[in-house]
Amino acid sequence: MKPLAGKRALVTGSSSGLGQGIAERLAADGAEVCLHGRDRVRLEAAQAAVAKLGRAHAAVGSLSDDDGAADVIAQAKAVMGGIDILVNNAGGESAGNGQAEWLDATPDEWMATYNSNVGSMVRLIRSCVPDMKAAGWGRIINLSSVSVDTPLAVIPDYQASKTAIRSLTRSLALALANTGSRPTASVPA
């Protein structure tokens, strides 16, 4: 029997790259997977690749506000019946030009980057945790960045948002102690 048989996973930002690779691994391990992305064509191509390994669905939408995140959750729950594993991979680079010097990143860019990388995760976590607690089992994996441990002089808004992910995950782990739900912050290699 596959280790994740019977589990349902939502993987955000999975229409390509690392997110698609995570979705493929979860499907290969037996999980039913709902991929997420904003570009329907790319998302459907990724879904087709994952479907070769197991059950795969797609949820199209933005996570940049409460309504968009609620719609993505609703799409995932509609096709899978629930979410046991949440992989928060969606996010973005610096809202500036991608290499903004410290003083070049505006406060609005800082907030846009924070919303993209942290706000989206908070929205999804808040939607999934009550069901995970009720079931007595759940996994939340929040992707961060190596810049948390080795910051650069550029893209400060991005690096700060990725550091916040590690902190929010530690806080969430304490809040969910003894509930059967385990959040983890992961840094891609």
Side-chain angles (χ1 to χ4, degrees):
M1 182 164 173
K2 295 186 177 188
L4 296 177
K7 300 300 182 193
R8 302 155 301 179
L10 170 61
V11 183
T12 67
S14 53
S15 60
S16 65
L18 180 62
Q20 182 179 339
I22 292 168
E24 289 172 354
R25 179 58 191 252
L26 289 168
D29 283 346
E32 181 176 358
V33 180
C34 185
L35 290 83
H36 158 263
R38 294 175 297 190
D39 181 307
R40 183 174 299 280
V41 173
R42 286 179 56 199
L43 183 59
E44 288 174 353
Q47 176 190 3
V50 175
K52 292 176 183 174
L53 301 168
R55 294 183 64 194
H57 312 281
V60 179
S62 172
L63 304 174
S64 64
D65 60 37
D66 293 349
D67 291 340
D71 183 52
V72 168
I73 290 289
Q75 290 177 62
K77 286 183 176 181
V79 294
M80 297 190 302
I83 299 168
D84 304 304
I85 302 167
L86 171 62
V87 180
N88 280 311
N89 177 61
E93 298 294 325
S94 172
N97 65 15
Q99 290 297 313
E101 296 290 330
W102 221 100
L103 295 177
D104 293 338
T106 69
D108 286 343
E109 289 170 345
W110 279 75
M111 295 311 295
T113 302
Y114 189 86
N115 184 49
S116 175
N117 292 330
V118 179
S120 61
M121 288 185 182
V122 170
R123 290 179 188 97
L124 297 173
I125 290 166
R126 289 176 53 86
S127 293
C128 292
V129 163
D131 290 341
M132 290 177 177
K133 285 174 68 175
W137 196 95
R139 299 295 181 265
I140 300 167
I141 301 152
N142 298 323
L143 279 289
S144 184
S145 168
V146 295
S147 70
V148 168
D149 295 318
T150 56
L152 306 169
V154 295
I155 58 171
D157 53 331
Y158 173 80
Q159 294 175 103
S161 71
K162 293 301 185 172
T163 301
I165 291 167
R166 185 175 284 178
S167 180
L168 83 82
T169 304
R170 288 177 177 157
S171 175
L172 182 62
L174 294 171
L176 295 178
N178 302 315
T179 67
S181 297
R182 295 191 181 116
T184 309
S186 178
V187 176

